[in-house]
Amino acid sequence: MNELEIKNVCFSYTGEEYVINNINLSLGEGELVSILGVSGCGKSTLFNVVSGLRKPQKGKIILDGEDITGKSGKISYMLQKDLLLPYRTIEDNVALPLILSGTKKKKARLAVQDGMKKFGLDGTQKKYPCELSGGMRQRAALLRTYMFSGKAALLDEPFSALDTLTKSEMHSWYLGVMDEIKLSTLFITHDIDEAILLSDRICLMTGKPATLSEEIVINEPRPRSRDFTLTPEFLAYKKQILSKL
Amino acid sequence: MKRKLQSTTSKLLPAAAILALLAIWELVSDTGLVPKYMLPSPVDVCSAFVKDFPLLWENSWVTLAETFIGLALGIVIGFLMAMIMDFFTPVKKALYPIVVITQTIPAVAIAPLLVLWFGYEMVPKVILVVFIVFFPITVSLLDGFESTDKDTINLMRSMGAGKIQIFRYVKFPAALGNFFSSLKIAVSYAVVGAVISEWLGGFMGLGVYMTRVKKSYAFDRMFAVIFLISGLSLLLMLAVKLIQKRCMPWENR
């Protein structure tokens, strides 16, 4: 069954010209699908629509069989800025989605401990975001997103603000954790290497108004390792994508 | 080690400057450069302070009570106003100019009116303190609420947070820093405000005491009161700083 379905979505800020036109995409359980496109092509607009912050003029968003078009609070996202609240400890930041939905603070804190361990954040519970490195903060932000919706998440260039070394470290970590948490993920990026390394499928977003012009399936079994980026198959995928962008 | 040294010198410097100033003052007064009856020396002021202490003590409590009640009410009113203005934009558009205009009215000018309206007891003093305090509190809180990151608010919305939850978990803690810096200003204004309104009529309080010693040309006792008032303001500012440290533990990391 499809976890998340985007059906014929069109959206315009002004009501005249569409920014994104007729977007169709479905995301299966535990799948990671990337949307790859140049900056400013409408990727983030699509995210705002899927997360319910904006209502599309046409089309539907369906999560687990439920129509969530224009409804926020159903599917959460994560940006390149970690957006952790500086005045809450890491565990309280991560537990925030639970607290928002009415869980008592103590219970919420207990509920996130398992995730903290899985995400390699053990020991940072009582620390404040400013005491953590950029990579660790992104992990915490991802865990917060995961705590909110354990099924599907939208990641909008989550690693693009990190330096190259931290970024590649985060990729290795993410490849390891993604199979464990089985999160269906819609992943926005403008980094071709990142997209090939992490995705099951890559959708290219091109044109004005933007459409999903091409879908490329990455046939590489998971769990993958970083060495995948050094193989000829990887380069073949890259060539294929570059020729179509 | 170097850092520690720096922090000691940074504390020593102002202390040395104050001591130097007092020494010059003492000299000017002792050598008769300025006659003693016009400018008593710091030593004279200290002895007047000690001699008058019971009286000063008694009057301080009245002034402090006015200050605290006024502060508390001013903070509550300022907070409520900022919150309402933040929740309802039309209310903000309507009220904000009025809030600003109230601050162009000199406090000294309305103090006598307040005395005429509310008599010589505590009420007019408290009202003046509230009038002085609510403005910096309202404006700083409103600024703090508005300065919260739009992306953070959107993220909270995507996690299903309502207006009140966003206020509680994002806007309010984000405005705390602003709130405390304005509170530091507000406490010293509050003490001065209470003293000013006591000048204009009352039975007890440091302001009333000041007008009394002024009439008897007791300069040393005047200075003793002035020192006491600035000392009280300093103590209150220090208290605010300590409370801020407790309330914002993330700032100390």
Side-chain angles (χ1 to χ4, degrees):
Chain A
M1 198 191 119
N2 285 326
E3 286 277 335
L4 177 70
E5 250 185 296
I6 302 171
K7 279 186 176 168
N8 308 319
V9 163
C10 303
F11 179 78
S12 141
Y13 287 102
T14 55
E16 288 160 19
E17 253 178 286
Y18 285 134
V19 181
I20 48 175
N21 192 17
N22 206 21
I23 304 282
N24 281 295
L25 186 70
S26 63
L27 184 63
E29 200 179 327
E31 204 180 13
L32 192 147
V33 176
S34 287
I35 295 175
L36 186 65
V38 291
S39 297
C41 71
K43 293 174 296 196
S44 298
T45 305
L46 176 63
F47 259 37
N48 282 332
V49 172
V50 176
S51 65
L53 292 176
R54 301 265 183 187
K55 206 178 157 93
Q57 274 80 5
K58 277 187 208 158
K60 274 185 178 152
I61 315 289
I62 290 160
L63 178 70
D64 239 356
E66 186 195 355
D67 187 349
I68 59 159
T69 319
K71 280 186 204 161
S72 61
K74 296 288 180 186
I75 184 162
S76 187
Y77 60 83
M78 170 186 168
L79 305 179
Q80 55 173 288
K81 286 195 282 178
D82 57 69
L83 297 180
L84 295 170
L85 301 175
Y87 27 79
R88 292 177 84 85
T89 57
I90 296 296
E91 67 174 355
D92 285 351
N93 259 299
V94 171
L96 192 61
L98 303 178
I99 292 172
L100 288 177
S101 62
T103 314
K104 289 268 174 295
K105 202 171 181 178
K106 266 190 185 160
K107 242 183 154 181
R109 275 185 186 162
L110 273 178
V112 298
Q113 294 313 318
D114 190 39
M116 301 275 301
K117 287 196 187 85
K118 263 189 205 160
F119 276 58
L121 287 162
D122 212 12
T124 64
Q125 278 89 340
K126 302 286 175 210
K127 291 196 172 165
Y128 286 97
C130 63
E131 298 173 275
L132 263 59
S133 66
M136 290 298 261
R137 282 209 296 270
Q138 288 304 89
R139 284 189 198 195
L142 183 64
L143 179 55
R144 176 177 61 184
T145 312
Y146 176 61
M147 290 315 297
F148 174 74
S149 46
K151 290 182 216 145
L154 311 172
L155 309 187
D156 189 350
E157 306 197 348
F159 307 132
S160 66
L162 302 170
D163 63 87
T164 326
L165 288 176
T166 314
K167 191 172 173 178
S168 95
E169 199 182 294
M170 286 296 282
H171 285 156
S172 310
W173 169 78
Y174 191 71
L175 285 170
V177 85
M178 66 194 276
D179 283 315
E180 201 174 336
I181 60 179
K182 294 206 170 39
L183 186 66
S184 314
T185 310
L186 197 56
F187 195 99
I188 284 190
T189 183
H190 57 240
D191 181 338
I192 300 175
D193 290 14
E194 180 176 72
I196 303 171
L197 177 63
L198 301 177
S199 320
D200 297 305
R201 283 184 287 143
I202 298 174
C203 297
L204 302 185
M205 194 177 228
T206 49
K208 214 165 202 180
T211 48
L212 296 182
S213 52
E214 198 86 34
E215 185 177 293
I216 294 146
V217 180
I218 310 290
N219 282 314
E220 172 77 15
R222 289 205 267 170
R224 295 174 191 160
S225 82
R226 284 211 32 91
D227 294 341
F228 175 44
T229 51
L230 306 171
T231 59
E233 291 86 20
F234 187 90
L235 282 178
Y237 284 126
K238 195 167 177 178
K239 227 178 224 169
Q240 188 189 353
I241 290 169
L242 279 172
S243 69
K244 279 168 181 161
L245 266 182
Chain B
M1 187 63 206
K2 200 176 170 192
R3 202 156 154 210
K4 206 173 168 188
L5 210 70
Q6 266 175 356
S7 93
T8 11
T9 31
S10 72
K11 270 177 197 152
L12 274 178
L13 271 175
I18 290 171
L19 278 179
L21 211 64
L22 285 173
I24 293 169
W25 178 0
E26 183 75 41
L27 270 176
V28 168
S29 180
D30 280 349
T31 53
L33 212 62
V34 180
K36 268 237 160 164
Y37 60 87
M38 280 180 74
L39 184 70
S41 76
V43 174
D44 298 334
V45 174
C46 282
S47 71
F49 184 85
V50 173
K51 228 187 319 175
D52 274 2
F53 190 73
L55 269 174
L56 287 171
W57 179 253
E58 229 173 59
N59 286 296
S60 300
W61 279 115
V62 178
T63 306
L64 279 179
E66 290 156 6
T67 307
F68 277 122
I69 299 171
L71 258 177
L73 286 175
I75 291 170
V76 171
I77 293 172
F79 186 83
L80 287 178
M81 285 201 47
M83 205 165 116
I84 292 168
M85 291 205 279
D86 184 64
F87 269 77
F88 308 103
T89 319
V91 176
K92 185 171 91 192
K93 283 203 174 126
L95 286 190
Y96 200 83
I98 299 177
V99 171
V100 174
I101 289 168
T102 61
Q103 288 314 296
T104 60
I105 305 169
V108 195
I110 58 160
L113 267 178
L114 290 173
V115 172
L116 290 177
W117 285 335
F118 300 103
Y120 288 92
E121 298 289 341
M122 235 180 200
V123 182
K125 284 101 180 167
V126 170
I127 292 177
L128 192 74
V129 174
V130 171
F131 183 79
I132 294 173
V133 164
F134 94 94
F135 178 75
I137 302 282
T138 309
V139 172
S140 69
L141 277 174
L142 205 55
D143 264 6
F145 295 158
E146 276 171 3
S147 68
T148 39
D149 185 42
K150 296 282 165 296
D151 286 336
T152 308
I153 290 175
N154 273 338
L155 180 74
M156 294 287 287
R157 279 177 55 207
S158 86
M159 294 196 293
K163 253 188 160 181
I164 294 171
Q165 282 178 321
I166 289 176
F167 182 83
R168 178 172 163 198
Y169 293 112
V170 183
K171 288 188 170 186
F172 176 63
L176 268 183
N178 273 13
F179 169 73
F180 278 111
S181 22
S182 72
L183 189 59
K184 260 180 242 164
I185 303 169
V187 287
S188 60
Y189 281 7
V191 178
V192 174
V195 170
I196 288 177
S197 64
E198 284 167 354
W199 279 351
L200 297 160
F203 304 112
M204 282 283 272
L206 288 175
V208 177
Y209 182 76
M210 241 175 144
T211 49
R212 263 187 223 143
V213 290
K214 193 193 86 186
K215 278 179 194 145
S216 60
Y217 292 94
F219 282 78
D220 51 347
R221 296 161 85 187
M222 279 278 280
F223 273 105
V225 190
I226 293 171
F227 275 34
L228 180 62
I229 291 169
S230 81
L232 287 175
S233 298
L234 275 175
L235 276 180
L236 286 177
M237 284 162 92
L238 193 73
V240 172
K241 213 174 157 183
L242 289 177
I243 296 170
Q244 179 176 18
K245 258 196 164 161
R246 291 271 341 232
C247 291
M248 303 173 70
W250 59 90
E251 289 277 288
N252 314 324
R253 299 297 175 103

